[in-house]
Amino acid sequence: MHVLAAMNGGWDAMAGKMQEKARSLGANDTHVVSPDGYDAPGQVSSAYDLAVFGRAGLQDPAFTRYCSTRYADFPAGSWSYGIANTNRLLTGANGVDRYPGLIGIKNGYTSNAGNTLVSAAERGGRTLVVSVMNPQEGGGYAVYEEARSLLDWGFDAADRVRPVGSLLPERAKAEADARAVAAARGGRDGAGAETAPRAGAEPSEGVRAKDAPASGAPGKEARTGEAPPRPPSGRTRPARRRPRARRPAFRWA
């Protein structure tokens, strides 16, 4: 991180660029003070923002490849040394069962933030991103089991619950809304056919573009005779626009 900061104008300049990037992604709870991610006064983020960062990273195939790699030999001249991924949902280390279809993303820990995890998994053409911050019980590996429960619930709830928000920046959400309105008007005009997303379009929250409703519009109804599944541990889904808790940011680097 010190090398990266030196290449980008220094420590403070790097923090400023990271802050600017966070805002451009719609991560409005994040305040960057120290680029290395260690505890610093005023450095905070939220579970929502960490999910935003994870989703953004997955748009880069190289990022996805790196965060899903369990072990690699790093070249160092005439020899190499091994680098092991410490994401136990990916590696299955220390008695934590590997999660099927996991593609990353990042685990972290600082004294103030506690154990934190951003995870993503793919199943049946659908990618889900979840984030967990500082479980209060269950030990150091509880963060993995909470992420597992969230992913299980998310895949089970596919097409059976209504989204309560979006991980897309405001501009991208507005563009998605406009495309949805145009598609709806086309259907009323008798076009009848489902419109394909434009090249490079991104689905929100891991939901396929054709399944994603416009902002404020209902998603697909639950299948006949089936009640939508409850979130893990009996928790209910948050209401729209509920304030997000902000916590010390975990070390991402």
Side-chain angles (χ1 to χ4, degrees), residues 13 24 35 42 51 69 78 80 91 99 107 112 137 146 157 193 198 207 221 223 234-235 248:
S24 73
T69 298
S78 60
S80 64
T91 65
Y99 193 84
N107 57 316
N112 290 342
E137 57 184 26
E146 288 204 14
R198 62 180 176 83
V207 179
E221 299 292 338
R223 290 193 288 269
R235 294 189 292 271

Side-chain angles (χ1 to χ4, degrees), residues 111-198:
S111 298
N112 290 342
N115 290 290
T116 311
L117 179 67
V118 184
S119 290
E122 191 275 336
R123 184 182 301 172
R126 184 186 301 270
T127 299
L128 298 183
V129 177
V130 302
S131 54
V132 180
M133 301 186 76
N134 196 22
Q136 296 300 292
E137 57 184 26
Y141 298 155
V143 68
Y144 297 105
E145 299 311 319
E146 288 204 14
R148 185 193 311 278
S149 295
L150 287 169
L151 287 168
D152 284 345
W153 180 85
F155 284 119
D156 186 50
D159 299 328
R160 300 170 61 191
V161 296
R162 298 178 181 180
V164 297
S166 174
L167 295 179
L168 289 170
E170 290 299 324
R171 179 176 178 180
K173 283 189 285 189
E175 292 175 351
D177 290 348
R179 290 195 298 270
V181 169
R185 288 175 176 171
R188 287 196 298 270
D189 292 340
E194 182 182 90
T195 59
R198 62 180 176 83

Side-chain angles (χ1 to χ4, degrees), residues 26-40:
N28 296 320
D29 296 327
T30 296
H31 183 217
V32 180
V33 176
S34 174
D36 59 12
Y38 282 117
D39 293 330

Side-chain angles (χ1 to χ4, degrees), residues 1-18 35:
M1 179 56 69
H2 287 270
V3 174
L4 183 61
M7 295 171 61
N8 285 272
W11 204 248
D12 292 340
M14 185 66 195
K17 290 179 180 180
M18 293 173 69

